């Protein structure tokens, strides 16, 4: 990580920190919880968010035996931390989503025929298919390290092995895949009805990033790259997004409407802070569940609702909103009722109809914003 210290850049980053503090002053834990039915925590200030990522680097990806961060995981973990360090060039470098698609199913027979739409609409995006056994092998290879006495595994790998339900393991796998390698994850009962490159590119996308933040970001980007003798890259909000998500209307649990983000399809660049924060949340919740189980609460752990909070839509959505508040000063409540794509910093947020295509056939769509068909909504 190349940290810069010229007075000009210090002045700009100080101004941005001050502006972010101004924007996040309106955050009230209970008010945001009531709006989203999601717990973003007591604070969304950038300093507190940065400290949380630092904690994650000293916990989730550390060895269960030595307590040290595994060497092979250092680059991606440090990249996530640097992305919110306003004095680092990494914070001003547009991150790229690799062109590859990952899906997971119990076995090959669980793949729907409609999934072929991903290849048809995105022929230059290779597809990786994982069944349960392949997930286990991949996670062991990426979250473990061979030793003389066996395998040195990370906290996250240890937690994955202990998760009591296949759904929980599938959730954790998809987050880890995108955090470590990047790309797009899609459930096996989905299909692409619009090429990924065209998502949010219909001329209806509105940039809702704070104007002052955008000005300061452009200045910081120019100064940091001038110092390192590199040409200034495309402004972050004009470059391709580093994360793509879609809003989701939860029709089966109306008390949770208004804040959930679809978890069955999303895309991200490797090493994005959203995923490091998310994974640390899963680590902490898993430990809490172990305590409950040891006290005789196994029935609670196996309840259907707990998956939402443990690894599902609640913890995922909370991580996205927390990042938008902390890094870009964006009040997530502003998206209530929005029916068009929105850009906030390096994140593209698609409206709920984007991932609820009326048909798996691209030629028969009720909404011009349709991008993904999901079999769940057809039942």
């Amino acid at each position: 990580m190349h940290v810069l210290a010229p007075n000009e850049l210090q002045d700009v980053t100080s101004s941005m920190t001050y502006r972010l503090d101004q924007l996040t002053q309106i955050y009230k834990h209970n008010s945001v919880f009531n709006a989203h039915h999601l717990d973003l925590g007591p604070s969304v200030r950038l300093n507190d968010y940065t400290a949380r990522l630092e904690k994650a680097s000293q916990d989730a990806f550390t060895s269960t035996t030595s307590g040290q961060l595994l060497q092979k995981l250092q680059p991606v973990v440090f990249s996530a931390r640097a992305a919110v360090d306003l004095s680092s060039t990494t914070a001003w470098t547009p991150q790229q989503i690799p062109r590859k698609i990952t899906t997971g199913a119990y076995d090959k027979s669980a793949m729907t025929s409609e999934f072929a739409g991903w290849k048809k609409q995105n022929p230059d995006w290779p597809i990786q298919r994982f069944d349960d056994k392949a997930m286990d092998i991949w996670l062991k290879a990426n979250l473990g390290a061979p030793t003389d006495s066996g395998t040195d595994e990370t906290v996250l790998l240890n937690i994955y092995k202990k998760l009591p339900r296949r759904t929980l393991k599938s959730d954790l796998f998809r987050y880890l895949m995108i955090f470590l390698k990047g790309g797009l994850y899609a459930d096996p009962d989905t299909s692409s009805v619009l090429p990924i490159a065209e998502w949010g590119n219909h001329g209806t996308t509105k940039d809702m990033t704070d104007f002052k933040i955008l000005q300061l970001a452009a200045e910081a980007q120019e100064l940091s790259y001038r110092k390192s003798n590199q040409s200034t890259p495309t402004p972050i909000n004009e470059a391709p997004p580093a994360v793509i998500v879609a809003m989701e209307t939860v029709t089966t649990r109306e008390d949770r409407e208004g804040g959930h983000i679809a978890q069955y399809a999303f895309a991200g660049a490797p090493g994005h802070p959203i995923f490091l924060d998310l994974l640390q949340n899963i680590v902490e919740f898993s430990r809490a569940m172990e305590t409950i189980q040891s006290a005789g609460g196994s029935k609670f752990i196996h309840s259907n609702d707990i998956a939402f909070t443990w690894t599902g839509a609640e913890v995922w959505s909370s991580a996205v909103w927390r990042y938008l508040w902390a890094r870009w000063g964006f009040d997530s409540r502003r998206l209530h009722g929005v029916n068009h794509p929105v850009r906030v910093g390096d994140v593209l947020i698609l409206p709920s109809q984007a991932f609820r295509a009326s048909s798996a056939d691209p030629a028969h769509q009720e909404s011009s914003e349709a991008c993904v068909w999901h079999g769940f909504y057809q039942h």
Side-chain angles (χ1 to χ4, degrees), residues 19 21 75 141 149 163 212 241 251 270 273 302 311 319 341 347 379:
R19 179 59 180 161
D21 282 343
S149 57
L163 289 174
K212 182 64 174 177
T251 57
H302 288 85
T311 61
V347 179
H379 302 313

Side-chain angles (χ1 to χ4, degrees), residues 150-194:
T151 300
D152 187 6
E153 59 184 32
T154 58
V155 169
L156 269 169
L157 179 56
N158 183 262
I159 283 173
Y160 172 84
K161 290 162 64 175
K162 293 179 180 178
L163 289 174
R165 294 167 59 185
R166 191 265 170 191
T167 302
L168 305 176
K169 292 190 173 188
S170 175
D171 288 343
L172 184 52
F173 166 77
R174 69 188 68 181
Y175 303 140
L176 283 163
M177 171 60 79
I178 302 304
F179 178 62
L180 296 179
K181 305 298 181 181
L184 180 139
Y185 173 84
D187 270 355
D189 60 344
T190 62
S191 184
S192 175
V193 300
L194 186 72

Side-chain angles (χ1 to χ4, degrees), residues 48-88:
D48 295 324
Y49 186 77
T50 302
R52 181 159 186 80
L53 297 185
E54 170 68 23
K55 180 181 179 182
S57 69
Q58 298 175 4
D59 189 359
F61 291 93
T62 58
S63 162
T64 54
T65 53
S66 69
Q68 300 297 309
L69 178 65
L70 258 62
Q71 186 174 0
K72 66 180 180 180
L73 297 174
Q74 289 179 4
V76 69
V77 172
F78 290 161
S79 175
R81 288 170 48 192
V84 294
D85 179 356
L86 304 185
S87 65
S88 166

Side-chain angles (χ1 to χ4, degrees), residues 24-42 257-259 325 331-334 336:
T24 54
Q25 278 181 358
I26 65 170
Y27 176 82
K28 297 292 186 288
H29 183 212
N30 289 341
S31 176
V32 173
F33 178 83
N34 289 334
H36 293 321
H37 295 279
L38 296 169
D39 187 357
L40 306 193
E257 287 190 24
W325 273 97
D331 185 345
S332 51
R333 293 167 294 186
R334 293 175 62 194
H336 280 192

Side-chain angles (χ1 to χ4, degrees), residues 58-336:
Q58 298 175 4
D59 189 359
F61 291 93
T62 58
S63 162
T64 54
T65 53
S66 69
Q68 300 297 309
L69 178 65
L70 258 62
Q71 186 174 0
K72 66 180 180 180
L73 297 174
Q74 289 179 4
V76 69
V77 172
F78 290 161
S79 175
R81 288 170 48 192
V84 294
D85 179 356
L86 304 185
S87 65
S88 166
T89 55
T90 302
W92 311 114
T93 304
Q95 303 298 305
Q96 299 294 315
I97 297 174
R99 293 189 172 198
K100 57 183 176 181
I101 297 169
T102 299
T103 190
Y106 298 95
D107 53 48
K108 292 182 180 179
S109 65
M111 298 293 298
T112 61
S113 59
E114 289 86 358
F115 193 84
W118 286 103
K119 189 62 177 178
K120 292 177 183 177
Q121 293 292 318
N122 308 279
D124 55 344
W125 286 62
I127 296 176
Q128 307 175 96
R129 294 176 172 85
F130 288 80
D131 58 17
D132 287 356
K133 183 178 179 181
M135 287 183 198
D136 292 346
I137 293 171
W138 187 89
L139 286 163
K140 185 176 181 179
N142 285 274
L143 295 179
T147 65
D148 293 338
S149 57
T151 300
D152 187 6
E153 59 184 32
T154 58
V155 169
L156 269 169
L157 179 56
N158 183 262
I159 283 173
Y160 172 84
K161 290 162 64 175
K162 293 179 180 178
L163 289 174
R165 294 167 59 185
R166 191 265 170 191
T167 302
L168 305 176
K169 292 190 173 188
S170 175
D171 288 343
L172 184 52
F173 166 77
R174 69 188 68 181
Y175 303 140
L176 283 163
M177 171 60 79
I178 302 304
F179 178 62
L180 296 179
K181 305 298 181 181
L184 180 139
Y185 173 84
D187 270 355
D189 60 344
T190 62
S191 184
S192 175
V193 300
L194 186 72
I196 298 167
E198 297 181 25
W199 292 5
N201 288 334
H202 286 180
T204 58
T205 300
K206 180 180 179 181
D207 195 323
M208 295 181 72
T209 318
D210 178 73
F211 181 69
K212 182 64 174 177
I213 290 292
L214 286 180
Q215 283 185 317
L216 291 168
E219 291 179 42
Q221 195 175 44
E222 181 180 353
L223 289 168
S224 62
Y225 275 78
R226 186 194 308 165
K227 177 67 176 179
S228 57
N229 296 317
Q230 300 179 49
S231 59
T232 305
T234 304
I236 288 178
N237 66 311
E238 295 177 15
V243 171
I244 304 174
V245 297
M247 297 293 295
E248 179 180 22
T249 301
V250 185
T251 57
T252 57
R253 306 180 76 199
E254 292 184 358
D255 61 315
R256 296 177 185 273
E257 287 190 24
H260 277 189
I261 291 171
Q263 188 224 13
Y264 48 84
F266 57 85
H272 197 280
I274 286 175
F275 296 96
L276 183 57
D277 175 35
L278 164 68
L279 291 164
Q280 180 61 24
N281 272 327
I282 292 174
V283 166
E284 294 174 359
F285 197 87
S286 297
R287 288 175 177 146
M289 291 301 98
E290 284 188 23
T291 300
I292 290 173
Q293 187 171 29
S294 64
S298 58
K299 184 176 180 180
F300 171 73
I301 288 176
H302 288 85
S303 67
N304 290 330
D305 278 358
I306 201 64
F308 282 93
T309 307
W310 197 336
T311 61
E314 289 187 17
V315 67
W316 162 236
S317 304
S318 296
V320 174
W321 297 139
R322 197 159 37 242
Y323 172 77
L324 294 179
W325 273 97
R327 180 63 178 81
W328 300 104
F330 180 74
D331 185 345
S332 51
R333 293 167 294 186
R334 293 175 62 194
L335 288 177
H336 280 192

